[in-house]
Amino acid sequence: MPLAISFELSDRDLEHFTQALAKARAAAGSKTADEIIAAASKLLVEANKVEVPDFIAERLDRLDALIAMSRDEGWHLPEEDRQRVLSALVYFADPSDVIPDNVPVLGYFDDAIAIEMCVKELKHEIEAYDEFCEYRQGEAERRGLDPATVGRADWLEARRDELVDRMHRRRNRQAGGSGYGDSSGYARKGYTSAFRPGLMRVR
């Protein structure tokens, strides 16, 4: 039968992960965007080869969203925004991070926590991208097109620009009040065919 476990990270715990993220970003200074994305994608592929807890599986799906938005030709993030996403991905380019990924069961636990922190920081980017994918899916189907082949279509640009502008406004408001596989990104229900997490509930 299922076992529900709830835990809370203290400020000290969060500082530990914040330092690990900062260290990863500093170490990745020589890596190209393609290398960072490829390494993070590899993590998803490797994770799909083993059975991971649902808590981790759900967070890996969010990592997939970050990879997808950094690659998506139709979304084509402005360079400054893309760098924000890439700076979140660099932690996952190191298989020997806080907990080495080859440790059975727990190997991706630290990745899940790091993803949770990155998702919180990139909340507005992810929300905007999810809406973009949903809009593209619906409009492409209505036009009899395959969403995966759309690219930078004229009929997408207006909606894309609206969502990016809203993303910037929300992020700026938040900053004023407080402060942080082969991904395609063509639908909200899993961004790659390489990684498909199961349904779950996290308390």
Side-chain angles (χ1 to χ4, degrees), residues 74-78 132 135 156-165:
W75 186 232
H76 61 97
L77 274 174
F132 174 79
Y135 176 80
L156 265 179
E157 285 299 300
R159 182 59 178 153
R160 177 258 177 204
D161 291 346
E162 287 175 6
L163 289 168
V164 170
D165 184 58

Side-chain angles (χ1 to χ4, degrees), residues 51-198:
E51 188 170 347
V52 297
D54 287 343
F55 168 83
I56 295 175
E58 185 181 73
R59 270 86 190 155
L60 289 173
D61 191 43
R62 293 285 78 188
L63 174 60
D64 197 10
L66 296 177
I67 294 169
M69 75 167 68
S70 65
R71 281 178 163 171
D72 195 326
E73 181 186 353
W75 186 232
H76 61 97
L77 274 174
E79 186 57 27
E80 182 179 349
D81 296 312
R82 189 166 184 261
Q83 287 303 318
R84 278 174 53 84
V85 177
L86 289 174
S87 73
L89 291 178
V90 294
Y91 179 82
F92 313 103
D94 182 6
S96 58
D97 38 35
V98 175
I99 304 175
D101 293 342
N102 60 2
V103 175
V105 183
L106 295 178
Y108 298 105
F109 186 75
D110 64 308
D111 296 303
I113 293 174
I115 291 168
E116 190 73 13
M117 294 174 68
C118 293
V119 165
K120 183 176 180 181
E121 181 177 346
L122 298 170
K123 175 178 183 290
H124 302 305
E125 283 86 345
I126 292 172
E127 286 178 352
Y129 184 60
D130 277 350
E131 288 192 35
F132 174 79
C133 290
E134 199 170 74
Y135 176 80
R136 174 170 54 190
Q137 180 81 25
E139 279 297 300
E141 290 176 356
R142 187 177 69 81
R143 296 165 185 261
L145 301 173
D146 177 359
T149 64
V150 168
R152 293 179 67 167
D154 291 342
W155 52 266
L156 265 179
E157 285 299 300
R159 182 59 178 153
R160 177 258 177 204
D161 291 346
E162 287 175 6
L163 289 168
V164 170
D165 184 58
R166 187 194 73 183
M167 175 185 82
H168 289 158
R169 291 197 312 271
R170 289 182 174 179
R171 195 171 72 204
N172 290 338
R173 278 202 304 269
Q174 179 178 318
S178 53
Y180 193 97
D182 185 15
S183 297
S184 58
Y186 292 116
R188 291 187 61 173
K189 294 182 180 178
Y191 297 83
T192 75
S193 57
F195 185 82
R196 298 283 184 182

